[in-house]
Amino acid sequence: MFNNQTITRLQQIETPFYYYDLEVLNNSLLACKQASSKYGYHVHYAMKANFNNKVLNAIQQFGFGADCVSGNEVKAAIEYGFDKNNIVFAGVGKSDKEINLALDTDIFCFNAESVEELFVIDELAKAKNKIANIAIRINPNVDAHTHHFITTGLDENKFGINTWQLDDVVKTLRNCSHLQFLGIHFHIGSQITDMEVYKNLCTRINEIQDWFAEKGFVVKILNVGGGLGVDYYNPDTNAISDFESYFKVFNQFLNVRVDQEVHFELGRALVAQSSALIARVLYVKNGLKKNFLVLDAGMTELIRPMLYQAYHQIENLSRNGESGNITEDNTPGLSIGKNVIQYDIVGPICESTDCFRKDVEMPISFRGDLIAIRTTGAYGEVMASSYNLRDRVKSVYSN
Ligand SMILES: *Cc1c(COP(=O)(O)O)cnc(C)c1O
């Protein structure tokens, strides 16, 4: 991602900013496209992961659909040229205004997350004399084996409809004349790297679709959600997620009936490796027990470490790109070699949690050094805020 020429270029630019490598993005999109088309699978991009305009344009041009979680995302999907027949709308708290907008836009499908929501969509569709396509988001109670902050498919989570409520759902679907049942939807969590988790999901989906079939419902769409993880520890040597294994699991374990479509909603795996947050060292604070690198970027630019205890690789681009990083088993290298020192890497925001990582082994660093925080293409720029009345973070592109 960073050759000397790129680093020289980035040195000239005011920090902080998100740097996007569009070649990395394209490679990832291509790998996903190739792996999914082998099985005729439909992939919708989960727009919330990154709605930067160059990123969205690239994804739209690849022909992916859009998975939206707000009315404004539906609107943006249309503006960016996504086909309305490839737009789905999920979310546990869709407002009337958002539902009306999606009805007016004639999107492909609502992923409905409660019986109450079904009644509201039916009523609003009736007022417009329209029929709303519905997929039922079901909580399959499958453990995603990921960080509990980003698990969504357990009984205790707010998302989706629990299986014991499905009798109610079926009754509601029968009684609501302006709803058209299309299929079932699942999304069990994010940053999933264990393919066994998806195998377990397939088993649950097979049971649940049989249940719907017994009730006399034709399940046309199986939407299995997203959540495929990326390698935060090896952003260069493992820049592309394992799309091949991912789609293969579904091909092996999901019972797909004749005329059924399988839909996916990937966010992170498509975009995460394509960006790094670039910052400068403002101050080096040497304490008795701790040394701090104070950067000019903080939780206002990238909140994942503070919000989810997320790991990001951090590199000092001004010191030969020597990185001080820990291994995946979380053991910091014990031997601190020549010119290597441990720092807590923190931001400028007035919160104690404004820390990217603690005890990071780094080459001895100085004021003005350029720092790259890697793998920030997903849930990075989109979560930026202006807390402390900070400037909105900028973006810079490889070409
Ligand atoms: C966020 C989200 C996704 C995408 O999750 P990733 O982990 O980024 O792949 C897919 N579907 C729904 C409903 C979501 O909310």
Side-chain angles (χ1 to χ4, degrees):
M1 191 170 208
F2 300 110
N3 57 30
N4 287 341
Q5 202 184 343
T6 307
I7 293 172
T8 308
R9 178 182 159 220
L10 299 183
Q11 295 275 16
Q12 324 294 319
I13 302 171
E14 185 188 27
T15 47
F17 56 87
Y18 277 93
Y19 173 67
Y20 286 92
D21 188 325
L22 298 174
E23 192 183 327
V24 173
L25 176 64
N26 273 307
N27 290 342
S28 164
L29 297 176
L30 187 63
C32 177
K33 195 85 201 173
Q34 285 174 341
S36 60
S37 2
K38 238 195 277 186
Y39 309 108
Y41 292 157
H42 299 245
V43 177
H44 293 96
Y45 169 60
M47 197 189 279
K48 73 176 188 289
N50 191 319
F51 42 73
N52 175 291
N53 77 79
K54 286 218 183 193
V55 171
L56 276 187
N57 277 329
I59 291 172
Q60 188 273 333
Q61 277 159 24
F62 258 85
F64 293 106
D67 167 39
C68 303
V69 291
S70 74
N72 285 345
E73 285 192 3
V74 171
K75 222 190 282 179
I78 295 289
E79 281 163 14
Y80 276 85
F82 286 89
D83 181 351
K84 66 182 185 187
N85 297 315
N86 285 325
I87 297 177
V88 297
F89 183 16
V92 68
K94 302 177 188 76
S95 70
D96 293 22
K97 184 178 165 191
E98 291 175 311
I99 292 169
N100 276 324
L101 179 124
L103 287 168
D104 291 338
T105 315
D106 295 319
I107 61 162
F108 173 63
C109 193
F110 290 85
N111 294 335
E113 308 220 8
S114 66
V115 172
E116 292 79 355
E117 182 189 331
L118 288 174
F119 283 119
V120 173
I121 297 175
D122 181 58
E123 195 183 293
L124 296 175
K126 192 172 183 177
K128 291 181 185 294
N129 206 12
K130 290 196 169 187
I131 304 284
N133 284 337
I134 300 289
I136 302 296
R137 177 168 180 177
I138 297 166
N139 187 339
N141 198 24
V142 169
D143 191 343
H145 296 153
T146 185
H147 196 283
H148 61 278
F149 289 170
I150 50 175
T151 290
T152 57
L154 292 174
D155 285 347
E156 69 222 47
N157 296 123
K158 72 176 176 182
F159 298 100
I161 298 175
N162 292 313
T163 44
W164 64 83
Q165 297 165 309
L166 288 181
D167 280 324
D168 253 6
V169 167
V170 161
K171 214 183 299 167
T172 309
L173 288 169
R174 287 203 173 106
N175 290 336
C176 291
S177 54
H178 289 74
L179 302 182
Q180 171 68 47
F181 173 80
L182 278 197
I184 50 182
H185 170 233
F186 303 82
H187 176 66
I188 57 173
S190 201
Q191 185 49 22
I192 297 167
T193 50
D194 176 1
M195 291 303 131
E196 196 73 16
V197 166
Y198 287 117
K199 183 181 162 190
N200 296 340
L201 175 63
C202 288
T203 308
R204 287 294 284 143
I205 296 176
N206 292 339
E207 292 165 6
I208 292 168
Q209 69 157 327
D210 286 348
W211 185 90
F212 272 92
E214 277 165 28
K215 302 280 169 187
F217 284 80
V218 178
V219 181
K220 204 174 145 230
I221 308 281
L222 297 176
N223 183 336
V224 303
L228 178 63
V230 301
D231 189 343
Y232 282 96
Y233 293 86
N234 302 290
D236 292 312
T237 52
N238 201 8
I240 296 181
S241 286
D242 192 358
F243 295 111
E244 292 284 341
S245 306
Y246 173 67
F247 291 117
K248 196 169 160 198
V249 169
F250 289 93
N251 178 252
Q252 277 183 308
F253 298 104
L254 193 63
N255 295 336
V256 181
R257 296 160 196 232
V258 189
D259 293 334
Q260 231 172 15
E261 289 179 12
V262 185
H263 290 203
F264 291 80
E265 301 169 337
L266 291 171
R268 186 192 310 270
L270 293 175
V271 293
Q273 299 290 14
S274 68
S275 181
L277 176 62
I278 309 295
R280 272 193 176 80
V281 176
L282 284 178
Y283 301 102
V284 182
K285 288 181 77 174
N286 294 316
L288 284 177
K289 291 189 174 155
K290 286 270 184 194
N291 301 303
F292 294 96
L293 288 187
V294 183
L295 306 185
D296 60 5
M299 62 195 284
T300 42
E301 286 68 43
L302 176 68
I303 202 175
R304 298 190 67 255
M306 303 79 182
L307 189 61
Y308 313 121
Q309 301 163 350
Y311 175 92
H312 286 269
Q313 183 143 263
I314 303 179
E315 296 163 4
N316 186 330
L317 297 180
S318 302
R319 309 281 145 203
N320 299 325
E322 288 172 65
S323 69
N325 289 294
I326 57 178
T327 52
E328 187 151 10
D329 62 6
N330 255 5
T331 44
L334 290 178
S335 64
I336 300 183
K338 203 165 129 241
N339 300 335
V340 174
I341 199 170
Q342 284 192 342
Y343 295 104
D344 282 12
I345 300 181
V346 302
I349 306 306
C350 299
E351 296 287 344
S352 295
T353 53
D354 186 34
C355 173
F356 288 111
R357 266 176 54 206
K358 290 180 194 274
D359 302 324
V360 187
E361 279 182 33
M362 296 282 284
I364 293 179
S365 303
F366 298 90
R367 173 173 165 83
D369 282 0
L370 206 61
I371 302 292
I373 304 178
R374 302 293 306 272
T375 320
T376 55
Y379 309 107
E381 189 182 357
V382 285
M383 285 196 191
S385 76
S386 51
Y387 183 44
N388 289 193
L389 204 51
R390 305 245 311 156
D391 288 333
R392 180 84 202 177
V393 65
K394 299 181 297 294
S395 346
V396 170
Y397 305 91
S398 55
N399 49 45

